[in-house]
Amino acid sequence: VHEWSRFPDLPSGFTLGIKRDDLTHSTLTGNKIRKLEFILAAALDAGCDAVITAGSLQTNHGRATAVAARELGLEPYLVLRSRPSDVEDKDSLADRGGNLLVDMMIGAGIVLAPYGSQKDFLMPRMEKLARDLAASGKKAHIIPVGGSDSLGLWGYMCAFHELVTQVCCCLDFPISLMHAMP
């Protein structure tokens, strides 16, 4: 927890601290890795050799999943929401840079899907991909968009415990904890 003094109009007697999850790792920054710690452990425990998740073309969750999966020896597959023109010209996707370029550089399997809800568009594509992988002898673990499931929740519970421990042990002033989550 770092004292954050960027607010000159903070009332007298107040100190603002911030927990910087964006400083955790070079390619696995932010809160995404907290969820993935538990989700990917479950995939490994289940004997999976691949993981599948979904998001937008520049998804932070997808990039973090792909990088972490590769670091653990799992094959990453991403079902990415895209425009019809992206599907027609898939070769130009690397020109977009950002997370998508990282995904491509580490060899993530990329499947493009039209915009739509996870339930109606993305989940059926992830399930079909898992069946296709199973037919080729691979076992895949499906991770919902953003890693938002009961396993991922444990990452936030641990983060909260870590925050309370750091704040209570290290700061010498009264505390109010506030949490922002997408």
Side-chain angles (χ1 to χ4, degrees):
V1 177
H2 305 276
E3 187 173 331
W4 212 34
S5 58
R6 295 184 185 205
F7 296 100
D9 295 332
L10 204 59
S12 176
F14 280 80
T15 302
L16 180 63
I18 186 168
K19 178 81 173 152
R20 296 288 308 269
D21 269 359
D22 60 324
L23 301 176
T24 55
H25 189 287
S26 62
T27 53
L28 298 173
T29 59
N31 60 21
K32 310 301 182 209
I33 194 61
R34 290 187 179 275
K35 295 190 251 184
L36 288 171
E37 177 181 358
F38 291 89
I39 294 168
L40 294 177
L44 289 170
D45 285 347
C48 294
D49 36 32
V51 293
I52 303 167
T53 194
S56 67
L57 279 177
Q58 294 291 350
T59 170
N60 288 328
H61 163 71
R63 184 232 335 120
T65 300
V67 171
R70 278 285 183 226
E71 287 183 356
L72 295 171
L74 297 166
E75 290 183 39
Y77 292 87
L78 306 174
V79 177
L80 303 177
R81 293 183 185 116
S82 58
R83 298 181 306 249
S85 60
D86 294 328
V87 175
E88 295 166 12
D89 189 18
K90 190 174 179 181
D91 293 336
S92 71
L93 290 179
D95 296 340
R96 304 267 175 104
N99 290 336
L100 183 59
L101 180 59
V102 173
D103 299 336
M104 295 172 93
M105 288 172 57
I106 65 166
I110 295 175
V111 175
L112 299 178
Y115 282 98
S117 71
Q118 175 172 324
K119 179 183 172 191
D120 297 330
F121 289 92
L122 296 177
M123 190 55 76
R125 282 169 175 76
M126 290 191 289
E127 290 168 347
K128 180 185 182 316
L129 180 54
R131 288 190 303 273
D132 292 346
L133 290 169
S136 68
K138 295 182 180 177
K139 184 176 181 182
H141 180 82
I142 295 176
I143 303 170
V145 172
S148 297
D149 63 8
S150 58
L151 285 172
L153 177 63
W154 283 99
Y156 283 120
M157 290 170 53
C158 288
F160 184 76
H161 181 269
E162 177 183 300
L163 178 63
V164 169
T165 301
Q166 290 173 345
V167 168
C168 291
C169 294
C170 304
L171 302 178
D172 189 26
F173 50 83
I175 318 165
S176 292
L177 291 177
M178 291 176 268
H179 183 271
M181 206 168 115

